[in-house]
Amino acid sequence: MIGLDWTVWALQIVNFLILAGWLVLAIVTLTRLRRCRLDDTARVLWVIVILLIPLLGAVAFFIVRPGKPQSDEKR
C-alpha cells in the first residue's frame, strides 16, 4: 500500500501543474485579448470561450487572432 500513496502524491502534483499551466495560459490570453480592438460583445464571447473551454479556448484565440492589437503610441 505504500506504493499507492506515492502514486496518489505524484498524480496530485501532475494535477496541480496542469491547473497552474492552464491558469497562466488563461491569464496571458486574457491580457492579449484586452489589447485587441474588438467590440464589447465579441470580447465577452471570447472571455467565455477562454474560461469555459480550458485549453482549446486559449489555443483557438491564438490561432484566430481576432482584431488587431492596439499600439501604445498614438499617431
Side-chain angles (χ1 to χ4, degrees), residues 15-54:
N15 284 336
F16 175 75
L17 291 175
I18 291 171
L19 177 65
W22 173 69
L23 285 174
V24 168
L25 183 63
I27 289 170
V28 168
T29 307
L30 291 173
T31 56
R32 292 266 176 110
L33 176 64
R34 191 172 171 202
R35 287 188 245 156
C36 289
R37 291 185 208 163
L38 293 171
D39 59 343
D40 292 336
T41 305
R43 192 176 304 246
V44 169
L45 288 175
W46 271 112
V47 168
I48 291 170
V49 168
I50 291 167
L51 293 179
L52 291 183
I53 306 173

Side-chain angles (χ1 to χ4, degrees), residues 1-15:
M1 290 288 181
I2 293 176
L4 181 64
D5 292 335
W6 286 103
T7 305
V8 172
W9 177 253
L11 288 175
Q12 288 299 320
I13 291 173
V14 169
N15 284 336

